[in-house]
Amino acid sequence: MESDELITLFDFSDAPPPPTGGDGDLHSTGVRRRMCTKGCDRPMNVCLCGSIPTEAISTATEVVVVHHPHEQRHKLATVPVLSKCLRNCQTLVGRRLRRGDSSLLDSLYDAAVENPNQPPRAIYLFPGTDSSPSIEISKWQSSWSDNYTSTHVLIAFDGTWKHAKEMVRASSPFLSKFAIRVCLDYDVMVDGGTTFDSDLILRKEPFSGYMSTMEAVARALRVLEPNGVEIEGRLVEVLRAMVKFQACYLKPMKPRPKLLKNVKAEEKKNQRTVERTVGIFMSYARYLLAWQQIVHW
């Protein structure tokens, strides 16, 4: 799925507190906010019940999300909403995957140990590296044979990008036995966007193509499911509604004095470099001119 900021990407601490009274969550100002009890479990002023499907979406693909403990307290976590949208979505809170965390994953592990030649039907989403390459998910899907099974298990890691890297690394000894590392299209040569750039981005992403956990799962299901386009569209609409709420509370970005000072210092440094280069060039030109005059004389 990005800066060390990860895959995921609700509550919005910047939202103005609603009137006091009634059951609710304690706001950072000490005012108790009224919470929605109709399904989304979010503050009333950012309720998503109108966007979340009334019936959870059924998928042949079983989705397992490894949710970093810190993300449980994060205001912009997408996993709680994702789990309400998908029927076959299991959330595991922890910093790594290991035997005993999930009966589903344990069964895949046991099957792989008993029959190591069986092509794995489990995949986990994470960009590849030189030491741990990944295959683009559509390429993996096209190489999959229907002779084995028509269902898949999709594993996603939810946390900041730094945490997600640590989670994947710690889970590798277990995952490598039965799952293939896959990725979505991304470009490390292009900076990632922000909420100002897209109606699907909640947090700054490190590179172009990196995205929240919810969007990544939606894009993956588009490839894995027979009606993937429809499923992706429904999930993306929920995410778009979340981002729209967040955009309402964005503050205008003001240049930070320290950054301005650094920029000005860098500009002066570059200017001195240019002046030195020009001076050297001019000195060399005068030298050549003088040499030519001596030769002609």
Side-chain angles (χ1 to χ4, degrees):
M1 116 203 200
E2 46 148 290
S3 169
D4 285 330
E5 309 283 336
L6 178 59
I7 254 87
T8 59
L9 286 180
F10 268 170
D11 185 317
F12 314 130
S13 57
D14 290 334
T20 57
D23 295 334
D25 182 30
L26 191 63
H27 191 268
S28 58
T29 61
V31 179
R32 191 168 294 277
R33 298 174 297 182
R34 290 192 303 134
M35 304 296 290
C36 175
T37 57
K38 296 180 180 180
C40 70
D41 300 324
R42 292 159 53 83
M44 289 293 294
N45 59 334
V46 288
C47 174
L48 282 174
C49 289
S51 301
I52 295 176
T54 53
E55 292 187 9
I57 303 170
S58 296
T59 59
T61 302
E62 299 185 71
V63 179
V64 178
V65 180
V66 188
H67 195 47
H68 194 279
H70 289 182
E71 290 298 308
Q72 290 185 291
R73 304 189 298 269
H74 204 288
K75 304 298 183 182
L76 299 179
T78 58
V79 170
V81 177
L82 176 65
S83 63
K84 295 179 183 298
C85 294
L86 295 178
R87 188 181 304 278
N88 295 331
C89 182
Q90 177 184 5
T91 302
L92 304 175
V93 179
R95 299 173 185 269
R96 64 171 175 168
L97 281 176
R98 51 190 168 184
R99 192 172 175 80
D101 290 338
S102 166
S103 57
L104 170 62
L105 300 185
D106 286 349
S107 64
L108 294 176
Y109 180 89
D110 293 338
V113 171
E114 293 176 5
N115 188 2
N117 295 324
Q118 178 80 9
R121 67 184 183 97
I123 56 176
Y124 65 100
L125 275 173
F126 203 76
T129 62
D130 292 338
S131 58
S132 300
S134 61
I135 180 173
E136 207 275 321
I137 189 170
S138 59
K139 294 181 180 178
W140 176 82
Q141 172 69 359
S142 63
S143 65
W144 180 262
S145 173
D146 291 335
N147 294 330
Y148 298 108
T149 181
S150 58
T151 61
H152 307 291
V153 176
L154 173 65
I155 303 169
F157 291 87
D158 181 67
T160 65
W161 286 105
K162 178 182 178 181
H163 286 155
K165 291 177 184 177
E166 295 170 352
M167 294 162 72
V168 170
R169 188 181 305 114
S171 303
S172 291
F174 179 66
L175 276 180
S176 60
K177 297 292 185 180
F178 62 88
I180 299 294
R181 185 169 180 162
V182 300
C183 66
L184 302 167
D185 290 332
Y186 67 98
D187 189 349
V188 298
M189 301 304 294
V190 180
D191 287 339
T194 66
T195 307
F196 292 97
D197 307 317
S198 170
D199 60 356
L200 292 178
I201 297 178
L202 281 161
R203 286 193 257 181
K204 177 71 172 70
E205 303 296 348
F207 303 115
S208 175
Y210 280 36
M211 59 196 71
S212 69
T213 302
M214 187 167 184
E215 184 179 359
V217 170
R219 304 301 187 203
L221 291 178
R222 175 191 176 98
V223 177
L224 300 176
E225 290 292 306
N227 59 333
V229 175
E230 177 188 353
I231 293 173
E232 178 194 37
R234 296 176 69 181
L235 292 177
V236 165
E237 280 306 308
V238 178
L239 179 59
R240 185 172 285 115
M242 300 168 85
V243 177
K244 186 177 180 180
F245 277 128
Q246 174 69 358
C248 293
Y249 303 105
L250 288 177
K251 299 177 181 178
M253 296 184 67
K254 298 180 180 179
R256 287 179 282 182
K258 185 176 180 181
L259 291 180
L260 285 178
K261 183 178 179 181
N262 292 339
V263 170
K264 290 179 179 179
E266 187 67 22
E267 289 177 350
K268 289 182 179 180
K269 180 181 177 181
N270 292 338
Q271 184 178 358
R272 288 195 298 268
T273 302
V274 171
E275 291 174 351
R276 285 197 299 268
T277 303
V278 171
I280 294 173
F281 176 78
M282 294 301 295
S283 297
Y284 184 64
R286 286 194 293 269
Y287 169 78
L288 288 179
L289 182 60
W291 175 257
Q292 289 176 352
Q293 290 176 348
I294 293 173
V295 170
H296 288 305
W297 183 77

